[in-house]
Amino acid sequence: MLSVQDLINVIVLVMVVAWIWHLLGIRQRAVVAARRHCQKLQLQFLDESVHLLRFRLRWVNGMLRLVRHYGFEFAVTGEQRYQGDVIMLGGRVQLIELEPYPMPEDEFDDLMHRLH
């Protein structure tokens, strides 16, 4: 028979596991967003991963929300790595930023055509 303390311990453990599962889901959404953004721009999404740089609380529409800032690396030709960022507000992508990188002129014209 489980004691009350054992039941509380099980509930706390289940809550911790559910919270970790939720965090991994948000991280996976950041990976997918970064990968798609790189594909759209014909860049190489390196290491197939993002890493948490920082997080903070922010008031949004009268609610306290968690903002996560993930970093990732990408390459144009595979020779040099550049930094990118994915900003997540709750579970949604707010912004993806890329460090300036070199782009051949013909690719720039093609990119501008695809983005518009």
Side-chain angles (χ1 to χ4, degrees):
M1 181 93 183
L2 288 177
S3 70
V4 173
Q5 185 60 46
D6 291 338
L7 186 58
I8 290 172
N9 289 341
V10 168
I11 290 171
V12 168
L13 178 63
V14 167
M15 290 175 64
V16 167
V17 169
W19 183 69
I20 291 170
W21 186 269
H22 175 73
L23 292 179
L24 291 174
I26 291 172
R27 182 183 171 280
Q28 185 59 34
R29 284 185 221 139
V31 168
V32 169
R35 182 184 305 120
R36 285 184 182 159
H37 194 72
C38 286
Q39 287 172 347
K40 182 178 176 181
L41 299 175
Q42 296 181 341
L43 301 170
Q44 297 170 13
F45 178 56
L46 301 176
D47 305 327
E48 289 294 315
S49 181
V50 298
H51 53 278
L52 184 64
L53 296 172
R54 63 185 169 273
F55 61 92
R56 62 187 166 91
L57 294 173
R58 185 171 125 195
W59 286 99
V60 178
N61 298 329
M63 293 176 53
L64 196 57
R65 303 290 302 268
L66 188 60
V67 178
R68 294 169 185 87
H69 187 156
Y70 292 96
F72 65 94
E73 293 185 326
F74 68 95
V76 178
T77 62
E79 293 176 16
Q80 185 171 352
R81 290 176 174 256
Y82 297 93
Q83 301 296 313
D85 299 311
V86 179
I87 311 296
M88 302 287 290
L89 176 61
R92 295 184 177 205
V93 176
Q94 283 299 119
L95 178 67
I96 299 176
E97 293 182 312
L98 301 177
E99 160 179 38
Y101 60 92
M103 180 182 289
E105 189 173 320
D106 58 332
E107 286 184 28
F108 179 78
D109 293 339
D110 191 41
L111 172 65
M112 295 308 291
H113 184 277
R114 277 184 291 150
L115 291 178
H116 292 295

